[in-house]
Amino acid sequence: MTTLSIFHQSKPEQAHTVVTDPEAIQNVLAEHGVHFDRWATRELSVEASQDEILEAYADEVARLRQNWGFQAADVVSLTADHPQKEVFRQKFLDEHTHSEDEVRFFVRGQGVFYLHFDDQVYALLCKMNDLISVPDGTRHWFDMGPEPEFTCIRLFTNPEGWVADFTGADIASRLPRYEALAGEV
């Protein structure tokens, strides 16, 4: 189940609010300019290619491109047997921002987006069918867990793709990781 856990940065060990209703999650995140949505499931094999995945969601991707001006879309997939899974996990675990919106749609699997607003951190455990758009300039990080299993469609306004500006803050190291939030302790 998709879950939004809200932490105060002075008490990062304990969520003070947990939300599981998708409409309530959408409303809470919208207050911070974050777009959250759920798309209908498509029957795709685990081995589906990037082209097959983009074709299956062509209408939704086209609508986002038209409405938000995205220039590029691709698919990223990571599995527990990937030889560089720890390197990839570490790459996204530090707080950073982007100069464009970060948009992810979970075709399969799950991961946690952490969004840092003022003195609150919103940890959104995204699951299959979840779409999140993190506004440019938003302090955030992503945790895919030690045994990642996910496939996401990514959309970009910058054709160069993912470019991060790391904040240098240590907040990400003080909050519960994926394992705790996904119930895999």
Side-chain angles (χ1 to χ4, degrees), residues 26-171:
Q26 186 176 44
N27 292 336
V28 168
L29 293 177
E31 293 174 10
H32 298 283
V34 176
H35 179 77
F36 173 77
D37 201 1
R38 297 197 36 89
W39 288 352
T41 303
R42 303 287 194 275
E43 290 295 325
L44 295 168
S45 78
V46 175
E47 296 85 24
S49 70
Q50 173 171 295
D51 289 342
E52 291 169 326
I53 292 169
L54 290 174
E55 177 60 31
Y57 291 96
D59 291 342
E60 291 89 343
V61 169
R63 191 169 46 253
L64 289 177
R65 281 182 166 197
Q66 179 180 359
N67 292 343
W68 295 357
F70 294 115
Q71 301 297 310
D74 70 6
V75 175
V76 62
S77 187
L78 207 60
T79 59
D81 62 353
H82 193 285
Q84 293 186 307
K85 65 185 178 189
E86 187 57 33
V87 171
F88 282 112
R89 184 182 191 195
Q90 288 302 315
K91 177 180 179 178
F92 305 112
L93 274 179
D94 289 326
E95 184 181 75
H96 59 275
T97 63
H98 301 286
S99 61
E100 68 174 329
D101 293 356
E102 181 168 349
V103 180
R104 300 291 179 270
F105 170 68
F106 284 78
V107 173
R108 71 172 189 84
Q110 61 186 25
V112 179
F113 271 93
Y114 296 82
L115 311 163
H116 189 180
F117 300 107
D118 299 319
D119 59 358
Q120 306 278 336
V121 176
Y122 295 70
L124 180 64
L125 174 63
C126 292
K127 301 255 185 174
M128 185 173 89
N129 301 333
D130 288 345
L131 170 87
I132 183 171
S133 178
V134 179
D136 65 29
T138 300
R139 295 174 295 162
H140 70 284
W141 61 97
F142 178 73
D143 190 356
M144 63 187 74
E147 302 296 322
E149 289 291 340
F150 70 90
T151 299
C152 288
I153 295 175
R154 306 184 301 175
L155 293 119
F156 302 99
T157 52
N158 177 353
E160 294 176 23
W162 193 86
V163 178
D165 181 22
F166 291 93
T167 67
D170 72 343
I171 185 74

